Structure formats: structure tokens, C-alpha cells
Amino acid sequence: MRSFADRNPVALAVYFLATAGVAMLCMEPVILSISLAGALLTFFVLGGRRGHGFALGLFLATALINPLVSHNGRTVLFVLNHSPITLEALLYGLAAGGMLLAALYWLRGFSAIMTSDKLLYLFGGLSPKLALVLSMALRYVPLLGRQGRKVHQAQLALGLYREDNLVDGLRGGAREFSILTTWALENGIVTADSMSARGYGLGPRSRFFLFSWRTGDVLLAVISLALAGLALAGAQSRRFAFYPQLSAAPMTALSVLGYAAYAVLALLPAIFQLKEAIRWRLLQSKI
Amino acid sequence: MALIAVENLSFTYPGGKAPAVKDVSFAVQRGEMVALCGLTGSGKSTLLRLLKPELAPLGDKTGRILLEGIPLEDLPDGATAFRIGYVMQRPEEQIVTDKVWHELAFGLENRNLPQPVMARRMAEMAAYFGIEDWFDRPVSQLSGGQKQLLNLAAVMVMQPEVLILDEPTAQLDPIAASEFIATVRKLNRDTGLTVLMAEHRLEEVVPLCDRLMVLDGGQMLALDAPRQVIAGLKGRQELLCAMPAAPRLYHALQADGPCPLDVREGRRFVAESYRNDLRSLPEESAPGNESAALEFSDVFFRYEKNAPDVLRGLSFTAREGEICCILGGNGSGKTTTLSVAAGLHRPYAGQVKVFGKKLKEYKNQSLYRECLAMLPQDVQTVFLKNTVGEELAGAEVGLELLPFDLLPLFHQHPYDLSGGQQQLVALARVLATRPRLLLLDEPTKGVDASAKAKLITVLKNLKQQGMTILVVTHDVEFAAACADRCAMFFRGQIVSQGAPRQFFHENSFYTTAVSRMTRGWFDYAVTLEDAAELCRRNGRKEGGA
């Protein structure tokens, strides 16, 4: 099953940037609602699960702080500490919070499917050297962490820590850290040897790609950009404004088209997954 | 024409008093497999590195090295990088990138090959080495043996003509090591690859290689078919001790005739040359001490809530004043057992007692003060200081117990020592805390044969002084030589245990080479000394070979 996550990473990046970009560029309630719903759906469809506390906090903070600091707007709801709290500022805060939330979940959905291989493919496009350095770092940082834990356990069982107290703990920790740097340098030499033994640095390097471009990937990128363009045009045509009073131009064919385009865009991953699931069902029933 | 020709090669390190390689000349034909052996510091690594210009050490070099008749210096850039493949000792540190596929691609990318060529060669290699299943995996998830196979594959993918291996199996367990060596041999047979391999685990290599080179103090002592070379090593005990069991028995008995190389030939040698009227040596009964130093009762442990159990109802006792060896395969939970005993992990059920006291009752690190100490598998994690001297400051207690003087090493960095030296220095460091119970995890890993013999002496001395030693090891020969009791670990519990002779006699695969060699002819002969003694007492057959 070639799921949404298996598409070419560049096409995926284009999709997510376009979708989140539209939400960030237009402060428009309909687009934001679609975007938020789509972002949450996509996040869950792509296998994201936990950790909503931060997002919720961010949303509440933005929504609540705006009316407290911004007193624009005509409709005064009540007066707090001699400052008017307005409906417009409250709604603007909600919209801004919703936009942050949507953008956050689009990015979380993106990172849920972005393995290190895909990131490497994305950044490697900018520079092959960068790709190699990234790949080495991805190996080295966890390796250093593991070695640190091993050293700590070894020293624990060797009686480096005489007693359970802070001074002793810090002193031991400092020693462990210092040997860890030595270890890293020492092993860096072996790695460097291994690299030059395999001809690193002799001349221009080529790059092995784990991903290829298929028609579907190109289509995904092109369609994403087209739908995002339509959505932007549609949303702009509404000329929605929060201040001084909520106002918008009347709905036109263009704005309806824009909303529809954005809805399709935001639901693409879910549609893909659903389509694959159905196709798989059908195939299975034939077997 | 020889593929590699070395002519009067000498090499001295900057500031070195004596040359590390001295007037060495030899030629290697295409398709040959040559093994190099010699003591630590005999110049094996230096010689191999000189053959690979990218890794050649700096120093004073005389003589010539020719690749197909052309001196290495005159070859174009890159020719030697890609035509000569080189695999080093430590599996982890040679790996450059984070994923298996990227590691395979690394050398090809350096050659600036186009994508389709790279894809084909990588596919080929992955299929040949059977690494398709882990192609997408991060290298951190591989075992040591898999990492070393990956290193080999990552070199072979560049299609080198010569493969140089510098003690590639030193850090591997015996099963992974023999798999690795079998792969090298298969490459040599299947593709005519020329192989030069330094090894100190010769049990596997000697029967397979075409020629064996012995280096001694930088000079080439011999280079010939292994049978001739080994037969010529009469009296060189320090070199012989690294050889397979069959030739060692042959030399111990000062036999004549053709020298047996492997277990099969060894069996024939013993059965055809010696009588077996006396089938086993009288059992020496050691006075048993019944008080327990370490006691596991029904211990269950897992690393994570949803992970499988690593220890499943482990019950086991190490008695005071004995050396006890736990043997078993990879991932059977041996190392976990030690870290549970050392209080680094807490079991979720069952009890661990050290000297009759529950682990929990050792408060405020008192467990690690004059009570218990553990030497981990990777001894590099033991060292914290920049020189051996600093490392051992305050460890005078340990020093007296060691069989030889560590003083000459005092100014060196612990990482610069050989595997065997590191193990002994680490041991001295551990002894500084005056433990009564010593836990050792794979103490023979990366240790050559002569250092192993020293290690056995040290452990026996410590036992004499009343220390209890629990060793977790893959090394059956080591266990047979030093243990009072051996236990077989399988799937999180002990499945059998007994005195070494009994234990190894009853195992028919997981046992020493000597035991496999004398099985059915003698009983309970598990060490070389046992077998040699039995042969001597029985005497030679009349008219035997």
C-alpha cells in the first residue's frame, strides 16, 4: 500500500507548506475552520496521537491575551480595570489562536511522517555535504548518549560515587563528561580513517537517492499549489476584517470556489488513506 | 605477476627506537587468502596499514610496496582507495552514517557513480550478504556481528581487488566471528578476492587460509602453508597458544608426523596415535563452600513495561570463593543478569541477595564499597583519566595481584593499550574498591591468547585470596580453563550447570575444541592439559602413526 506518507518527500513538503501557508496568510474564519479540522484529521490519520496539552495552552493563551491587550473594536462587552474588552478583539484572538493551532498541527502531521531518511533527502537537495553531515550527526548524537549511559552505569558499579550526595554526584558527572569527549575524539579518528579508506574527499561526490519521482508525486505537488492558489484568491475576495467591526464582502462564486478548493486540499491526506484502504479491501476480497 | 609485492619493507614510527616493521619481503598472488598472526605489538597492524596508503602511518619507511608491479606511490589518486578494501577492528566506530543503506552507498558516492549503478551494486551486495531485511534500519539497531558484516559489505560494494582485514572479529562473539570469517572465505572462493587478514582468533582462520604469516618483533618469521608454519613453531609457546587446539595438542605431546589443523584431523590424530586404556583422569574434588555470595531466587526482569521478559524466573547461586562462569548465546540475558546483580536494574519480581543481604538493604552506595564490583563488557567505559598511572593511583592493592608489571604502561593513555592490556588495567582499577564479589562481563573480548592466559592466572590468584568471581562469557575455552562451576543460560534462565569437566562433557556442540576432539575416545577431557595428560599416561599405540 503506497500511503500518503510514502509519497516523494519533496512533494509532501510542498503539500504541507502550501496548506499551512494558506492558513497563515489569511485570517479568515471559514478558511481557518477548514484548516483546523483538516490539520487535526490529518494528524490523526498519519498516526500522530498524543501531546495536545501544549497546543491547547497556546490556543487559550493567544485567545485570552489578545482582548486584554488590544482594545480596538466597536462592540464593548464589559470594562475590566478601566479597559474596555471588545467582541472584535476577542474574536480576533480566537482566530489567531486557531491559526496557530492549525499551523502547529499541520507541522506535527508533517513531522509524524518525516523520517530521518526523508529529511536527509529534503536537505540533501540543498547541499550533498550538508546531507552527509546530517546523516553523521543523526548517528553520532544518540551514540554519544548511549555511551554516556554506559559509562555512567560502569562507573556506578565500580564505586565512583562514594555516597548519595550532590557534591559527589557532580564530581562524578564531570569526570564522566570529560572522558566522553575524549572517547568521541578518539572514535572520531577511527571514523575519519574509515572514511578516507573508502575514498572520501578524493573528488566530487554523487548522492544516492532512496526516493524517486512518480507521476503521482508530481501531481500531488502541482495540485497542492493550484488548490492553495485558488483558496488564497477566494479568501482574499471576501476582504474579511475584524476591526473596527466584523465586516466582509458578499460571497461570490470565486470565494465559494476558494473554500471548496481549500476543503479538498485540507482533506487530501485523509482522502488518500481512505482510497488506499478501500482499494486494499477490494484487492483482498479478490484474493 | 604477484598482485601485491612487498620488497624489503622497514618502518619506524617517529621517535620509535626500534623499527615496527623490519625488512619484510613477500608476495601475494591474486586469489590467495593469507592470514597474519603474531603477538600484540608484533607489527601486524602497522604492516597492514602500510599496504593501504590512505591509512599508512607517518614515519620513516624504506623498501617498496607494489600493486601489480606499480609502486603504491605512483598509482593515481583514488586507485588505492577503491582497489584496496580495508576493514578495521571496532565495528561501531568504522560506521560513518546513520542508516544501513546510506553506509552501503557511502563508498559509491565517493566514487561519484550515477544513481542506477549505485542502486544495482547496493542491491547486489545486500542480497549477497543477506542484509536486505535490515536495509532501512538505523545502524544503532544492529548487533556487533551485523555491524561488522555491514562494514565488510560497505567495502565490498566498491568491488576492491584486495581485501585487508585487521583483527575484524576481535570484538565479536564466537558465533558472529565464525559467520564473519565464513563470509570472507566465501568471498574469496566465489569471486577470487585476494584476502590479507590479521587475526588472533586463529581457531577458525588457520584451517581456511592458504598461507599463514607469522610476525615476530616486526620481522617475518614464516610465510607458508599453515601446516608447515605451525610445525615449525616448536618451542614458541607464546605464539603457539594462539593456535587451534589440535596443533597445540600436537606440540604439547611433542609428536611427529603431519600436524593436525582442525578438530576433525585432531580426532584422527588422537585416536590413531594414542591408546585409551585409561579413559578419564581422576576427579579432584574441591572443598565446597556452601555459603552463597550471590543468590537469585525467581527473578523476573524486563526493560520496558511492554517488552518481553529478559529474565524469566532465574534462580541461581554463586557460592563464596568460587569462579563461576555463565555461558550462553547472544541476547539470552547474560549481561542483564550481571547488571541486575550489580543493582543497576531492578527486577519486577523475585529477589537478589548479595552475601545474604537483599540488594535493597544496601543503602547509600554501600553495595559498591568493599562488597561488589562489576567490570562491563566495553572496558573503555571504565577509564576516566588520561594516563594509566592516574587511572591506577590508589589502586596499589590491585597491582600486587597482577602477574606482571604495569609500570611500563603508566604514561600511556588507556585507549592506546591493546585489548588485553586494557582488560588487565581495568581489572586493577576494579580491585581498588576491594570487592568481595567480582562480576565480569565478557572479559576475554578483544584479548589475545597470551593475555588470556595471564587473565586466567590473575583470576585464580584472586580466588585464592577468597574473592568470589562471576563471569559471563561466550568463551568456552576460557570457562573450561578457569571455572569451578559453569552454567548454561538460555531464554532468561539457567538450564544446566555443573563442574566444567562434567558440564562440557555433557554438551556436545557448546563445548571446547579439545572436548570435541577427544569425545568418544577419552571421557571428561575438556582442556588441553587434560587431553595431553591422558595421552601421556596412556602412551602411544604400537606401530601407530
Side-chain angles (χ1 to χ4, degrees):
Chain A
M1 188 163 95
R2 187 167 149 83
S3 69
F4 188 71
D6 297 333
R7 301 268 145 199
N8 187 293
V10 174
L12 289 177
V14 167
Y15 169 78
F16 279 98
L17 287 180
T19 319
V22 170
M24 288 193 277
L25 284 175
C26 33
M27 278 290 272
E28 205 273 349
V30 182
I31 291 282
L32 286 180
S33 313
I34 297 172
S35 190
L36 192 54
L40 285 169
L41 186 66
T42 304
F43 177 65
F44 288 114
V45 161
L46 294 181
R49 284 288 171 271
R50 299 204 318 209
H52 306 288
F54 171 73
L56 207 64
L58 188 72
F59 173 71
L60 287 177
T62 326
L64 290 178
I65 287 171
N66 190 58
L68 291 179
V69 296
S70 163
H71 307 295
N72 291 342
R74 291 214 174 128
T75 326
V76 177
L77 292 175
F78 55 92
V79 177
L80 187 77
N81 274 352
H82 309 291
S83 317
I85 302 296
T86 66
L87 177 68
E88 286 80 5
L90 186 68
L91 289 177
Y92 188 88
L94 280 173
M99 182 188 82
L100 280 179
L101 207 57
L104 186 71
Y105 274 89
W106 281 121
L107 291 181
R108 287 187 70 185
F110 185 54
S111 73
I113 56 170
M114 269 295 142
T115 58
S116 64
D117 284 346
K118 293 183 192 169
L119 276 180
L120 208 62
Y121 178 77
L122 273 182
F123 290 110
L126 304 176
S127 145
K129 276 226 176 74
L130 181 67
L132 183 64
V133 169
L134 260 179
S135 171
M136 290 175 71
L138 282 170
R139 182 185 87 88
Y140 220 77
V141 173
L143 183 67
L144 210 58
R146 275 197 303 280
Q147 181 72 10
R149 276 193 296 282
K150 265 163 72 185
V151 170
H152 180 67
Q153 294 212 325
Q155 296 303 329
L156 211 59
L158 285 172
L160 173 71
Y161 298 92
R162 288 297 159 88
E163 277 165 59
D164 289 328
N165 67 45
L166 187 68
V167 179
D168 219 49
L170 285 176
R171 198 185 295 145
R175 280 196 215 150
E176 285 173 9
F177 182 76
S178 115
I179 199 66
L180 207 56
T181 42
T182 312
W183 178 86
L185 292 174
E186 198 68 29
N187 288 320
I189 297 172
V190 180
T191 310
D193 272 354
S194 161
M195 287 170 78
S196 58
R198 281 185 278 161
Y200 180 76
L202 284 174
R205 296 186 83 229
S206 56
R207 203 157 75 85
F208 181 75
F209 301 107
L210 210 51
F211 304 95
S212 55
W213 282 94
R214 290 165 202 271
T215 330
D217 303 324
V218 181
L219 271 178
L220 175 65
V222 171
I223 290 176
S224 301
L225 288 175
L227 289 176
L230 261 178
L232 270 182
Q236 292 302 327
S237 75
R238 288 299 305 277
R239 285 196 297 278
F240 191 89
F242 284 89
Y243 301 124
Q245 198 169 2
L246 292 185
S247 66
M251 288 275 243
T252 58
L254 180 63
S255 54
V256 173
L257 192 65
Y259 292 149
Y262 195 63
V264 172
L265 185 65
L267 292 177
L268 263 185
I271 295 170
F272 259 103
Q273 296 296 76
L274 193 68
K275 191 193 85 186
E276 289 299 324
I278 292 172
R279 179 195 282 180
W280 199 240
R281 267 282 164 82
L282 288 176
L283 277 175
Q284 252 182 348
S285 64
K286 276 183 202 155
I287 294 169
Chain B
M1 189 197 307
L3 183 59
I4 296 178
V6 174
E7 295 171 358
N8 307 99
L9 183 68
S10 292
F11 179 82
T12 313
Y13 281 100
K17 291 181 194 93
V21 173
K22 211 158 133 192
D23 198 23
V24 170
S25 302
F26 63 93
V28 178
Q29 302 301 323
R30 203 175 268 281
E32 258 192 313
M33 178 158 166
V34 178
L36 253 76
C37 69
L39 301 174
T40 298
S42 59
K44 300 190 295 282
S45 288
T46 311
L47 177 60
L48 291 183
R49 280 182 167 254
L50 286 170
L51 299 180
K52 172 89 177 164
E54 286 75 19
L55 301 178
L58 291 174
D60 185 16
K61 183 185 124 186
T62 56
R64 294 203 304 169
I65 304 169
L66 310 162
L67 184 66
E68 281 196 311
I70 305 167
L72 287 184
E73 304 82 56
D74 298 347
L75 286 163
D77 257 4
T80 52
F82 302 122
R83 287 175 68 183
I84 305 175
Y86 199 100
V87 177
M88 293 175 268
Q89 189 184 116
R90 297 183 72 89
E92 176 76 63
E93 288 79 2
Q94 289 176 72
I95 295 177
V96 175
T97 61
D98 65 328
K99 289 290 178 79
V100 171
W101 67 265
H102 203 176
E103 194 62 24
L104 279 180
F106 181 76
L108 301 175
E109 292 180 333
N110 291 339
R111 273 187 93 161
N112 203 14
L113 293 173
Q115 169 93 2
V117 180
M118 287 200 273
R120 190 182 66 227
R121 289 218 195 154
M122 283 164 70
E124 233 183 7
M125 271 303 118
Y128 190 86
F129 283 88
I131 59 182
E132 279 165 298
D133 293 342
W134 20 290
F135 194 72
D136 284 323
R137 277 204 222 155
V139 286
S140 56
Q141 287 178 9
L142 306 183
S143 69
Q146 289 175 325
K147 281 182 189 147
Q148 198 64 311
L149 269 185
L150 172 62
N151 285 322
L152 180 62
V155 164
M156 288 314 298
V157 79
M158 296 185 295
Q159 304 180 340
E161 293 163 60
V162 189
L163 179 64
I164 298 177
L165 305 123
D166 188 4
E167 303 204 347
T169 66
Q171 303 294 326
L172 308 185
D173 65 75
I175 291 152
S178 60
E179 194 184 328
F180 184 88
I181 289 171
T183 310
V184 171
R185 183 52 172 166
K186 186 163 138 57
L187 279 168
N188 169 258
R189 284 267 156 88
D190 288 359
T191 66
L193 176 74
T194 312
V195 178
L196 262 155
M197 166 152 59
E199 260 301 352
H200 61 232
R201 197 191 305 253
L202 291 164
E203 193 83 38
E204 307 270 350
V205 177
V206 161
L208 292 180
C209 66
D210 299 315
R211 286 195 296 164
L212 182 64
M213 183 192 291
V214 182
L215 282 176
D216 188 29
Q219 280 174 309
M220 197 172 80
L221 203 65
L223 171 62
D224 207 339
R227 211 179 295 277
Q228 272 72 47
V229 170
I230 294 174
L233 287 178
K234 192 166 281 183
R236 300 297 303 266
Q237 192 49 42
E238 75 283 5
L239 289 168
L240 276 174
C241 68
M243 294 297 161
R248 272 188 295 146
L249 183 63
Y250 171 88
H251 276 284
L253 295 168
Q254 294 176 331
D256 36 34
C259 173
L261 282 185
D262 55 14
V263 168
R264 195 176 55 155
E265 293 177 11
R267 281 184 73 89
R268 201 183 309 142
F269 164 73
V270 172
E272 284 176 1
S273 318
Y274 294 91
R275 291 201 303 265
N276 66 338
D277 308 327
L278 175 69
R279 285 186 63 102
S280 64
L281 291 170
E283 191 63 39
E284 318 140 19
S285 57
N289 187 338
E290 286 309 310
S291 54
L294 172 68
E295 199 176 354
F296 280 80
S297 34
D298 273 324
V299 171
F300 284 85
F301 174 80
R302 55 177 65 176
Y303 280 96
E304 276 158 43
K305 201 173 154 203
N306 297 319
D309 278 340
V310 182
L311 304 183
R312 309 167 202 234
L314 173 67
S315 295
F316 169 75
T317 308
R319 299 188 199 109
E320 258 182 67
E322 70 172 2
I323 301 180
C324 181
C325 285
I326 297 185
L327 299 131
N330 261 339
S332 56
K334 303 193 305 293
T335 298
T336 310
T337 307
L338 282 196
S339 39
V340 167
L344 297 175
H345 295 300
R346 182 173 298 184
Y348 71 85
Q351 211 156 69
V352 183
K353 282 185 185 170
V354 173
F355 295 110
K357 205 163 133 186
K358 285 182 208 159
L359 272 185
K360 264 178 253 166
E361 291 164 12
Y362 285 93
K363 292 265 154 55
N364 198 14
Q365 308 281 342
S366 63
L367 178 62
Y368 308 121
R369 279 196 307 260
E370 305 190 6
C371 178
L372 167 155
M374 179 169 94
L375 204 54
Q377 197 171 123
D378 182 358
V379 284
Q380 283 200 347
T381 59
V382 170
F383 306 123
L384 291 178
K385 306 288 175 52
N386 286 326
T387 63
V388 173
E390 287 173 51
E391 202 65 65
L392 295 181
E396 296 79 11
V397 210
L399 287 184
E400 323 158 344
L401 297 170
L402 295 179
F404 66 98
D405 203 6
L406 288 173
L407 278 172
L409 307 175
F410 262 41
H411 62 280
Q412 291 198 35
H413 195 283
Y415 286 4
D416 295 337
L417 305 181
S418 73
Q421 290 166 337
Q422 281 188 352
Q423 197 72 41
L424 286 168
V425 171
L427 196 59
R429 161 87 203 282
V430 174
L431 295 177
T433 62
R434 300 165 188 265
R436 289 158 64 204
L437 170 61
L438 184 60
L439 310 176
L440 302 175
D441 192 356
E442 298 287 356
T444 59
K445 194 174 183 180
V447 172
D448 64 20
S450 62
K452 204 190 280 183
K454 281 177 194 141
L455 190 64
I456 292 172
T457 325
V458 176
L459 295 186
K460 285 189 168 165
N461 282 343
L462 291 173
K463 185 183 83 170
Q464 289 296 317
Q465 305 204 353
M467 196 180 285
T468 311
I469 304 171
L470 178 63
V471 188
V472 149
T473 183
H474 279 295
D475 191 334
V476 286
E477 319 286 336
F478 172 78
C482 77
D484 294 305
R485 206 149 51 88
C486 294
M488 181 83 184
F489 205 84
F490 182 66
R491 288 171 62 81
Q493 41 183 306
I494 300 284
V495 288
S496 70
Q497 52 179 311
R501 279 188 186 160
Q502 186 80 28
F503 180 84
F504 288 116
H505 178 69
E506 283 166 10
N507 289 358
S508 46
F509 293 98
Y510 206 87
T511 183
T512 61
V514 171
S515 166
R516 279 175 280 142
M517 222 156 64
T518 57
R519 187 156 299 251
W521 193 253
F522 299 136
D523 292 329
Y524 303 110
V526 296
T527 61
L528 190 76
E529 289 72 34
D530 292 347
E533 184 60 31
L534 273 167
C535 287
R536 272 189 218 110
R537 288 200 193 178
N538 277 304
R540 294 179 70 93
K541 272 185 181 173
E542 298 300 318

